[in-house]
Amino acid sequence: MNRQDDPAEGPDFDLAAARVCAIVNMGSGREAGDDIADKLRRALQGRVAELQFRGTGQGADLPAMAGAAVAEGFDLIVAAGGDGTQAAVAGAIAGTEAAMAVIPGGTFNYFARDLGSGETVEAALAIFDAPRIRRVHVGEMNGMVFLNNVSFGAYPEILRRRESIYRRWGRSRLAAYWSAVAALWTLRRPLRLTVHADGKTRHFTTALAFVAKSAYQLDAFGLEGADCVRRGQLALLVARAKRPGPLVRSALRLALGKSARYADFDLICADDFELETVPRHEYVAHDGEKTWMDSPFRIRVRHDALKVLVPAESGGRDAG
């Protein structure tokens, strides 16, 4: 997925001999799922041994849908949607012999940008012209695969607020950023966090903490930790802010590319973490989705667990 993994580029992928299942999240992003499916059909029809399409408007259906495609022996599973879609599909594919192709259909598409596959559907279709296999690392929390990050504290509330703003004003990055500011101003309580890593225990009171797997995302926001991710580790960033005002100022510095780095966040790099939170029943964000989960949270890297298709000429990104 990235130069953080720095994997050896794998062999060419024999597209003509492949059985391909395309899974389309009909509810992702700003482009209609039917339009994405049509573009995929034009790009793949007649170039593969078998082509099937499966669509859903319910993100909860994606893991089972991808798992069924793996069980049916498809060689390549194409995931069309946003980062949450990619993570749900990757969770079913990781550790199997099936390969995954990433077609971005969301708002930010960090995983696709991380891979160097492009930020639009049209750009990503180039992976089928001269495809190669690359093995990449994935993150895992309590058995759930993630590709970019998992977050605690304020960020899950940001996602909840974002959905309301999207419904009223439509999907855009500006709407996403505004939802962040609106959510941070209404933050009611800090999070108490205990971190176990590398044989040490640390205690924090914070408004926001997240474990990053994407060096691309960290670089994009000017945050520390990208080098850790490129070494194959995870980066835990804990905001020093405990209340809305300081956290909003920190968020604005990030948006302007002027993060004070260590002044805003504490950084811990490790191969695995165990996090305990108070309250124990915590709203957790993962790759743009959100779920209620119970502490403790056991988080680790699964090295080279996912086979992804990339363009032969692509060097990938320095991301995680």
Side-chain angles (χ1 to χ4, degrees):
M1 108 184 33
N2 33 68
R3 269 8 237 173
Q4 146 247 343
D5 299 343
D6 199 20
E9 194 88 345
D12 292 343
F13 183 82
D14 188 357
L15 194 66
R19 297 181 63 229
V20 179
C21 179
I23 295 175
V24 182
N25 187 340
M26 311 302 284
S28 284
R30 290 165 285 180
E31 185 168 355
D34 288 336
D35 292 340
I36 295 175
D38 286 342
K39 291 174 182 178
L40 277 168
R41 185 174 287 106
R42 289 195 296 269
L44 291 171
Q45 195 75 55
R47 298 175 65 187
V48 299
E50 179 184 347
L51 178 62
Q52 290 191 20
F53 282 84
R54 300 174 185 180
T56 179
Q58 303 295 321
D61 295 339
L62 292 166
M65 193 173 287
V70 171
E72 292 166 32
F74 282 94
D75 305 296
L76 178 66
I77 299 170
V78 181
D83 288 314
T85 298
Q86 310 300 343
V89 173
I93 297 175
T96 75
E97 287 306 307
M100 176 177 173
V102 175
I103 303 298
T107 303
F108 291 99
N109 304 306
Y110 284 118
F111 187 53
R113 293 153 72 186
D114 202 350
L115 286 169
S117 297
E119 194 176 344
T120 65
V121 173
E122 290 76 12
L125 292 176
I127 64 177
F128 302 121
D129 293 337
R132 295 180 71 84
I133 290 291
R134 181 185 299 156
R135 285 191 175 271
V136 304
H137 308 335
V138 299
E140 183 184 86
M141 179 175 72
N142 291 6
M144 179 192 69
V145 164
F146 65 95
L147 302 173
N148 298 316
N149 65 69
V150 290
S151 305
F152 309 86
Y155 192 63
E157 176 60 23
I158 290 172
L159 294 183
R160 189 194 66 78
R161 185 66 62 92
R162 180 188 298 176
E163 289 176 357
S164 174
I165 290 175
Y166 278 173
R167 285 194 294 270
R168 183 171 183 179
W169 301 106
R171 289 177 176 268
S172 70
R173 292 184 183 178
L174 180 61
Y177 292 138
W178 171 246
S179 68
V181 173
L184 293 177
W185 273 120
T186 59
L187 184 69
R188 289 183 172 85
R189 57 171 176 77
L191 176 74
R192 284 183 285 165
L193 180 68
T194 300
V195 179
H196 306 283
D198 292 333
K200 300 177 182 178
T201 298
R202 299 178 66 179
H203 301 278
F204 299 91
T205 300
T206 180
L208 170 67
F210 63 96
V211 178
K213 172 62 193 58
S214 171
Y216 179 93
Q217 195 175 44
L218 292 172
D219 281 339
F221 285 98
L223 289 168
E224 300 290 342
D227 289 343
C228 303
V229 175
R230 293 188 185 103
R231 292 196 300 267
Q233 295 183 301
L234 296 168
L236 169 64
L237 290 102
V238 182
R240 293 185 173 179
K242 301 177 183 179
R243 298 295 177 185
L247 192 58
V248 167
R249 288 193 290 273
S250 176
L252 290 174
R253 285 197 293 273
L254 285 177
L256 296 172
K258 297 179 179 179
S259 172
R261 294 179 177 254
Y262 287 117
D264 286 340
F265 292 91
D266 287 302
L267 169 68
I268 305 173
C269 296
D271 293 321
D272 57 80
F273 296 93
E274 181 173 307
L275 308 183
E276 298 177 35
T277 62
V278 176
R280 179 173 178 271
H281 192 54
E282 185 67 19
Y283 209 26
V284 180
H286 47 96
D287 290 337
E289 306 297 326
K290 55 194 184 304
T291 307
W292 284 101
M293 301 180 74
D294 288 333
S295 170
F297 301 97
R298 296 177 176 88
I299 307 172
R300 66 180 180 122
V301 180
R302 290 176 58 185
H303 294 278
D304 298 332
L306 184 65
K307 294 166 62 176
V308 293
L309 223 59
V310 295
E313 71 278 5
S314 171
R317 300 276 186 169
D318 289 336

